[in-house]
């Protein structure tokens, strides 16, 4: 009886070894693991800086000889729109090479204006001040760009992927505040806090851009991007102060 048990055990052992050594099981043990599908939707935040000024700068001096006495008018407009921007971002990969996205971006906008009228003594010398006006205007600017993307490499590839982008933008204006001061030739100053309304509280725009996307092993996506936006209407339009319709900016987005 013991001999039969030993023989049966040896047969089972030989069968197990044969099955383990079969080509099918060898192929199964050497099978390359399937790459996990990367999620298409990612949400995060964006920071960046504006390269162009938000309001057109002005610095002029105009002599007027038709008045008595002749006068010289000096005008200065200085953009005070913040160069930085912050906000949230959402991205969705539609296919291997196409994607869509939207941002909600905030910056503080505004300008300072100074206009002074003085007597003209000579062509190079001003006399007594006749009138001086200054204006400081600030507002909150909320930009919502809605974009499409084309990647030059499929999303399944490892490494960085360059892309081009384009779409529409919307700008909303709120919280506008103005401080105006007028000083006469007797050096009496009058201050007015009446807000000068924006030329447009909603401004549409179109934009194009280019950039590169990189991702790490844990799924964090980093987008380095350059954008050009053309605003179709001005936000500020008060005397010599006018919004710059062209906006260039660089930004970096982190999405997860």
């Amino acid at each position: 009886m013991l001999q039969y048990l030993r023989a049966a055990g040896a047969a089972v052992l030989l069968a197990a070894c044969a099955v383990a050594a079969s080509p099918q099981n060898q192929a199964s043990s050497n099978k390359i693991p399937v790459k996990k599908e990367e999620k298409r939707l990612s949400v995060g935040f964006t920071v960046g800086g504006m390269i162009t000024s938000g309001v057109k700068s002005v610095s002029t001096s105009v002599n007027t000889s038709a008045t008595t006495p002749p006068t010289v008018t000096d005008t200065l407009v200085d953009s005070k729109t913040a160069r930085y921007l912050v906000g949230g971002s959402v991205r969705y990969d539609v296919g291997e090479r196409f994607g869509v996205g939207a941002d909600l971006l905030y910056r503080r906008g505004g300008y300072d204006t100074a206009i002074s009228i003085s007597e003209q003594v000579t062509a190079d010398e001003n006399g007594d001040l006749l009138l001086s006006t200054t204006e400081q205007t600030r507002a909150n600017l909320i930009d919502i760009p809605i974009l499409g993307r084309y990647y030059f490499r499929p999303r399944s590839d490892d490494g960085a992927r360059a892309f081009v982008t384009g779409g529409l933008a919307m700008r909303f204006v709120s919280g506008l505040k103005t401080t105006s001061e007028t000083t006469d030739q007797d050096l009496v100053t009058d201050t007015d806090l009446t807000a000068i309304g924006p030329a447009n509280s909603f401004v549409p725009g179109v934009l194009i851009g280019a950039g590169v996307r990189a991702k790490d092993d844990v799924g964090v996506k980093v987008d380095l991007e350059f954008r050009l936006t053309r605003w179709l209407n001005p936000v500020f339009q008060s005397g010599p102060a006018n919004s710059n319709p062209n906006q260039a900016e660089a930004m970096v987005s982190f999405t997860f």
Side-chain angles (χ1 to χ4, degrees):
M1 183 67 178
L2 183 59
Q3 292 179 348
Y4 290 117
L5 292 176
R6 288 176 178 176
V12 172
L13 181 59
L14 289 173
C17 292
V19 171
S22 66
Q24 182 177 359
N25 283 342
Q26 286 182 354
S28 177
S29 63
N30 296 330
K31 189 176 181 181
I32 299 175
V34 178
K35 185 178 180 180
K36 185 179 179 181
E37 173 71 11
E38 180 184 345
K39 66 177 184 179
R40 295 177 179 270
L41 179 66
S42 57
V43 179
F45 63 93
T46 296
V47 295
M50 192 162 61
I51 301 171
T52 54
S53 62
V55 175
K56 296 179 180 178
S57 297
V58 176
S59 180
T60 62
S61 182
V62 178
N63 298 324
T64 305
S65 58
T67 59
T68 303
T71 60
V72 57
T73 302
D74 294 314
T75 303
L76 179 66
V77 177
D78 187 18
S79 175
K80 293 300 181 180
T81 298
R83 297 283 184 174
Y84 65 88
L85 63 89
V86 296
S89 301
V90 58
R91 305 282 184 265
Y92 184 78
D93 290 331
V94 179
E96 282 291 303
R97 294 179 181 269
F98 292 94
V100 295
D103 300 320
L104 180 64
L105 306 174
Y106 169 81
R107 63 164 50 90
R108 187 71 169 163
Y111 61 88
D112 288 350
T113 299
I115 301 174
S116 64
I117 303 175
S118 305
E119 289 186 15
Q120 180 183 347
V121 178
T122 66
D124 301 320
E125 183 181 355
N126 296 344
D128 294 336
L129 176 70
L130 300 178
L131 184 67
S132 173
T133 61
T134 62
E135 178 192 334
Q136 295 180 343
T137 294
R138 303 289 186 271
N140 297 318
L141 305 180
I142 304 294
D143 296 346
I144 304 178
I146 302 173
L147 308 166
R149 281 185 178 182
Y150 174 78
Y151 294 93
F152 293 99
R153 295 175 58 189
R155 66 190 298 267
S156 56
D157 284 1
D158 293 327
R161 296 191 295 154
F163 62 84
V164 290
T165 185
L168 303 176
M170 298 175 288
R171 169 166 284 179
F172 298 89
V173 185
S174 65
L176 193 141
K177 296 181 179 181
T178 300
T179 301
S180 300
E181 291 186 349
T182 301
T183 302
D184 61 20
Q185 58 186 350
D186 296 326
L187 300 182
V188 176
T189 299
D190 178 50
T191 301
D192 187 358
L193 300 180
T194 302
I196 298 176
N200 296 278
S201 58
F202 168 75
V203 179
V206 294
L207 66 86
I208 58 173
V212 62
R213 161 169 281 196
K215 59 184 177 182
D216 62 14
D217 295 335
V218 298
V220 178
K221 303 176 183 68
V222 182
D223 296 339
L224 300 175
E225 191 172 356
F226 174 79
R227 292 179 185 173
L228 289 172
T229 305
R230 174 72 178 187
W231 297 109
L232 303 182
N233 294 310
V235 171
F236 303 115
Q237 198 171 42
S238 175
N242 291 275
S243 294
N244 188 352
N246 300 313
Q247 178 177 302
E249 54 197 352
M251 59 188 63
V252 55
S253 301
F254 300 88
T255 56
F256 311 87

